[in-house]
Amino acid sequence: MAGGDPSSGLDVAGGDPVLSARVRLLEIDARRCDQLRAFLDTMAERLGRAPTSWEAWGEWARRLLADLLGPLARRAGWPDDEIVAYDAVGDALGRIGALDWLSGLAPAAADFRTALAAELDAPAPGTARIGHGLLVGRVEEAIGLDLEVVCVVGMVDGAFPAHQGDDVLVPDRERELAGDEVPLRAADAASVRLDFLAALASAREQVLSCSRYDQRHGRELRPAGLFLEAVDSLAGDGRRRVARELRGGPPPGLGERFQFVSSFAGAVGDGVRGSDPLSDADWRLRSLVRWVAARGRVSDHFLARDDASLAGSLAVRRARRSAQFTRFDGLVEHLEIPSPRTGAVQSATGLEGLARCPRSYFFSHLLRVSARELPETLLQLAPAERGVIIHRVLERLVAAEMAAGISGEEDPSAREARMLAYAEDEFEEARRRGVTGHPALWALERSRMTSDLREHLRGENEYQVASGARPVAVELDFGPASGTVVSVDTPRGAVRFRGSIDRVDELADGSVVVVDYKSGRPYRVLEGGDPLSGGERLQLPVYALAARAAFGAWRRVRAGYWFVGSPTPPEWLDLDDAVQSRLREVLSTLAEVIETGRFPARPGPSDGRPARGSNCTYCPYDGMCPPDRATSWRRKRADRALSAYVALVGET
C-alpha cells in the first residue's frame, strides 16, 4: 500500500475491523522502517566525518547523545537512577579526552569503541562498605573481586548463555569483511565461558543452580552446558555427561557437593541444607507449605484471609477447576460484542477459526492480538508464506493463459516451462522479502515446492482433458466492495461475507466449479455426516454461493480443495439445498457464540503432546492457555451454557 495517508488502510479493508487492525499494524511497521532507515542514514553520515582526536570523539558522542535523547528539559522527568547513569556516561566521555596525552595517533572508530566500553564496564561507585553485604549482578561483574561465596543461578540451556541469533542488520558474514573493526556475534559464547570461569575463581566457595522445570510454561528444562561441564569436573572420572543423566538424582561420586531438590514446595517447606527464611515473605510461604504438608486446606490457612492476592488466586483456581463455565474460562459478560449478523462483513476462514477454537478467535478478531515475528529467528519458510508463493504462481499461470486465450490442451511441457518461470520469480521475491530462512533449508523447500507444482500441473492437465474445464476467473473477489453480495439468512439476521476465490472453472455441461488451492498436508473434506465439519469447513459453501452470485443462480455449482502436490483428485461439494440449510444452522450457532460472549479454549483431538490438541499445534496463542487446557475443556463442555457449541463440533 503506497502513500502516507493513515486512513487509506480503512478504505482497503472495506470497513472490516480485523482487516483495518492489520492494515494499521502494517502502516506502523512501515513508519518504523522509515524511521530506522533515516536513523541509519544519519549514523552513516556522522561516521563519515570521523573525529581525529580522543577529545573530539568524546565531544562527537556527547552531541550524539543529546540529539538522540533530547535536551535537558526532556530528561527532567527521568527516574533518578537514569539521570545518574546519563551523567556517568558523560563523565566517561570526558575522561576519554585525556588519552590525547598518551598517544599522538588519530584514534579510529574501533579504538574509541574499545576505550568507551572499558570505561562503561568499570564498576559503578560503591554505596556500601567494601567487603560486606550481597552483590547481585552479571557474571562478568564478579571478575577480580575477593568474595566468600559466588552463586550462579539460572544455569539452564538457552538462558545461560542465552542463544543469540545472527544480527539481522549486520550478520557475521558482513562483520568478517570488516576484520577486527566489528566483533563477531559468534565470539560471545567463548567470552561468556571465560567470564564464568573467572567469576568462579573469585570466591572460595561456588554454588551453581539449575532449574529442572518451567512452571509457567509447563515444560522441562535442561542444564546448561557449563553446568554439565562443572559436574564432570567435580566427578573427576573423565566422563562427559548429558542432561538426562541428572533427571533421577545426584550423579554417583559427588556426595554432598550435589544437592538434588525434588520440588519447589519441598525446598520451601524443608529449607535447603536447613537454611532459615531470609524474609517475612519466605517465612509466610514456608508456613503455608508446611500447613498443606500436614493435610491442612489452603483456604483454612490465615494467609487465605489476610492476603488478598492469595485469596483471589484461590477463587480463580476454584472457578477453573469447577464444571461451570466462568469468566476465568472465556465467558465475557456485561460487554457489547459486535454480532456477525449486524456488524462487519465476515470471512469464511475467520468463522472457521471460531468453530475450531473460540478462545483463539477471541484473541485474534476481538482483542486483535497478533504475534510479531522476528526475522533474525526465522529458520525456514513459514507455512503461510509457502501458501502465498504457490498461490501466486498458479494465479499468474492461469491469468496469463486466460488473457492469451490458451486452452489447457496445449503442449504440457510449454505450460510447465511457463509455470517454472513464474515460480522462479516468486522464489526470488520471497528471498528479497527475507522470509525464506536458512539458505540450506530454503534450498530444500524450493525443491519441494517445485516438485509439488509439477505434480499439480500433471493432475490439472488430466482434469481439464477429462472434464472439459475452462478457467473463467482467478482471484475472484466478492463482498460489498466488489459488487458481488454473499449473504446467508439466519433466524435472527443475515451474515454477510467477503473473500477471494482462487479459481473458477466452467465445465462442458455449463456447470461451475470453484477451486481453492491448499498447500498443506491433504485431509479428507467430506468424511463423516456433516459436510461442513462442525463449522470448520465453511469456505467451500460460501465460495460456491459467491460463484453462483457471479455467474448465474441457475447454474449447478460445486466447490473443492485442491491440495497442491497431492496425487489425490479434489473432493467436490455440491451446493444443494441440504448444504445450504446446514450452512444456515452452523452460522446461527456461531453467531450465538459471539453474541453471548462464550469463548472457551478447545484443544481438539490430541496431537501427541501432553494436555494439548491439534488445534494448539500451530496456534500463536498456545503459550497463553493453561497447561491443563484439555482436562479443563472436558469439564467445561458439560455446562449447559456451551451445549449449542458442543453439539455443533460433535463433542457431546
Side-chain angles (χ1 to χ4, degrees), residues 333-348:
E333 297 180 297
H334 312 302
L335 290 176
E336 185 176 347
I337 302 176
S339 169
R341 291 187 267 217
T342 58
V345 181
Q346 304 295 308
S347 70

Side-chain angles (χ1 to χ4, degrees), residues 212-213 215 260-272 289:
R212 299 187 299 130
Y213 195 74
Q215 293 184 330
F260 190 82
V261 181
S262 59
S263 66
F264 174 76
V268 172
D270 301 333
V272 178
V289 169

Side-chain angles (χ1 to χ4, degrees), residues 139 142-143 150-152 155 194-208 226 230:
V139 169
I143 299 175
V150 60
C151 301
V152 184
M155 295 190 66
L194 292 177
D195 291 342
F196 169 70
L197 295 176
L200 295 186
S202 66
R204 287 172 283 281
E205 181 181 354
Q206 300 83 20
V207 179
L208 311 183
L226 292 175

